[in-house]
Amino acid sequence: MTRLETEVVQMDGEDIILVRGLRDLRRVCMDWAHFSNDVLGRIQIPAEDQTRDFRQYPIEFDPPAHGNWRALVDSMFARPRTPEFEARISDLVSWMVADLRARGGGEIVRDFALPLQSRALAVLLDMPLSEGDLWASWGFHVFRSEGENDLDRAGALVRYLERTLDAATGDDSFFGRLQRMTIDGRPLTRHEQLGFAHLVFAGGRDTVINLISGGIGYLARNPAIFARLKTEPTLAVSATEELVRFISPLSLLGRVCPGGGQIKDTTVQPGQRIGLCFAQANRDPAIFDDPDTIRIDRNPNPHVAFGSGPHTCLGNAHARLLSRTVLTEFATAFDRLEVVEATERTFDPRVGVSGLHFSRLVINAS
């Protein structure tokens, strides 16, 4: 397919300049002076400035403030790199895979990937697994669901975060730690606490679910690859990188150009937004040989599925750990996977890519 490196399109009620080439996207991500995250609710497309009155911390800030905010939570989000945390996630995934095996398979998106994402988040936030089951009951998206008003859903999340912060005084959960955090010698305000908590739920939900279910769907559709992973389990690391490149769970984020700027031959007007097309950059043929084919041993693999530059996804280590643990556990637990039913979601071709994005996936597993 032909991929334009930049294009001006009408989205979200305005002209947005899409950046699709990987090299250009990386340059923009490093040039926060001209292409800024420092705005409430406008880096999301569609925008969220009408659904909340606080920023998401730390992503809606630019350096150096971004780094100061990020430093407050970096240690918690680095824990997925530790053996102790890896063991807890391995136990969780093994338990859920054993249940799937006992049932001979089942629906993967809503009945496996969604509860796994929610329970693993509970582990990350030092909260009970039962709280993760509550989060799973919210469904695939935090902010929207068929038949429900987006503003109502957004408001319900904020009310939940408020209640949980109030109840967490003195405990060691993420919410309790937010209450004890300080910056510049003062405690965090309630809006700052909400900003951190809100991003945790908004930023790593459907993206992780997409990655987990897409990876399982790929193994079920490709028995030769599944067999190879069983004999070469260390391939789970490079397979995760290739699956996250190909699936690109987060297709698009925006930047605001407060003073105007230039992207190659395209002039960006003051205040105009640009769209960073991570999914299409991850299929850039100038960077990736045969980009529409999955190669689980692809090396090098300089994808931007978790962003690029200082605003790189805070939860990337957690998502990577979940993916490679699921791949390893499936290769250990099952001899055969078979797709019984699959419904794939489609995307706006201007910003998204197709492949392994399931809204429903039923497999037989034995």
Side-chain angles (χ1 to χ4, degrees):
M1 62 181 288
T2 300
R3 295 180 174 87
L4 301 174
E5 290 188 342
T6 60
E7 183 183 8
V8 182
V9 302
Q10 180 71 203
M11 297 183 71
D12 206 17
E14 61 190 89
D15 287 335
I16 292 179
I17 300 170
L18 301 181
V19 181
R20 298 189 175 105
L22 188 139
R23 292 188 180 94
D24 288 336
L25 187 146
R26 285 192 183 276
R27 281 194 288 267
V28 167
C29 286
M30 292 303 298
D31 188 4
W32 59 83
H34 293 98
F35 307 105
S36 175
N37 274 34
D38 192 12
V39 62
L40 189 159
R42 298 284 290 165
I43 65 171
Q44 296 79 18
I45 303 173
E48 296 177 1
D49 52 337
Q50 301 302 309
T51 63
R52 53 184 164 90
D53 59 359
F54 53 85
R55 296 195 190 201
Q56 288 181 340
Y57 287 70
I59 194 171
E60 291 183 347
F61 290 85
D62 291 329
H66 172 270
N68 296 334
W69 289 115
R70 185 166 180 141
L72 295 180
V73 294
D74 260 340
S75 61
M76 173 164 273
F77 286 89
R79 291 189 306 150
R81 298 186 178 94
T82 66
E84 296 79 10
F85 193 92
E86 288 184 3
R88 293 181 66 188
I89 293 298
S90 179
D91 288 344
L92 172 62
V93 174
S94 295
W95 164 54
M96 293 187 62
V97 168
D99 178 69
L100 188 69
R101 181 178 176 84
R103 292 184 284 116
E107 203 285 318
I108 294 299
V109 180
R110 186 165 295 273
D111 295 342
F112 182 86
L114 169 58
L116 174 58
Q117 182 274 332
S118 297
R119 291 165 180 166
L121 181 61
V123 174
L124 181 65
L125 302 185
D126 282 327
M127 299 185 74
L129 291 186
S130 58
E131 202 72 5
D133 291 335
L134 170 65
W135 303 336
S137 73
W138 296 348
F140 192 67
H141 297 288
V142 175
F143 298 130
R144 61 188 185 275
S145 181
E146 187 175 348
E148 291 188 52
N149 183 283
D150 289 2
L151 287 174
D152 291 343
R153 295 268 292 184
L157 173 61
V158 173
R159 290 191 294 273
Y160 168 81
L161 298 178
E162 292 266 16
R163 292 194 304 271
T164 307
L165 281 164
D166 289 339
T169 302
D171 71 25
D172 288 328
S173 72
F174 181 60
F175 290 89
R177 295 181 192 190
L178 285 174
Q179 291 211 3
R180 296 190 296 275
M181 285 178 186
T182 61
I183 191 165
D184 297 330
R186 62 165 178 84
L188 301 189
T189 67
R190 177 48 64 97
H191 270 193
E192 290 163 355
Q193 294 170 357
L194 285 172
F196 276 112
H198 196 272
L199 181 63
V200 166
F201 285 91
R205 190 172 183 80
D206 50 350
T207 51
V208 171
I209 296 166
N210 287 339
L211 178 59
I212 293 169
S213 57
I216 294 170
Y218 175 72
L219 293 182
R221 284 177 169 176
N222 294 272
I225 298 297
F226 184 47
R228 184 181 176 192
L229 186 63
K230 290 175 72 64
T231 60
E232 300 178 70
T234 57
L235 280 175
V237 176
S238 60
T240 286
E241 297 305 309
E242 179 66 344
L243 286 165
V244 79
R245 177 196 72 84
F246 183 86
I247 297 169
S248 290
L250 178 63
S251 296
L252 177 71
L253 273 181
R255 290 285 179 94
V256 176
C257 192
Q262 194 81 18
I263 303 175
K264 290 194 169 179
D265 296 331
T266 304
T267 298
V268 189
Q269 300 300 322
Q272 189 171 14
R273 281 196 293 172
I274 64 170
L276 301 175
C277 299
F278 298 108
Q280 295 197 353
N282 282 333
R283 304 282 188 95
D284 186 343
I287 305 297
F288 302 101
D289 180 45
D290 197 9
D292 296 318
T293 298
I294 295 176
R295 296 177 178 172
I296 64 169
D297 56 359
R298 187 183 291 272
N299 184 34
N301 193 346
H303 65 76
V304 288
F306 294 112
S308 182
H311 295 97
T312 296
C313 173
L314 188 61
N316 74 86
H318 184 64
R320 284 178 158 113
L321 173 61
L322 274 176
S323 174
R324 66 176 182 265
T325 304
V326 167
L327 295 177
T328 301
E329 290 291 340
F330 265 67
T332 301
F334 300 115
D335 294 319
R336 184 184 66 86
L337 301 175
E338 177 189 13
V339 175
V340 176
E341 178 185 347
T343 303
E344 292 200 42
R345 293 182 293 120
T346 58
F347 296 88
D348 182 340
R350 299 174 300 175
V351 298
V353 295
S354 62
L356 299 180
H357 286 263
F358 298 102
S359 58
R360 180 172 171 80
L361 176 66
V362 181
I363 66 168
N364 286 334
S366 59

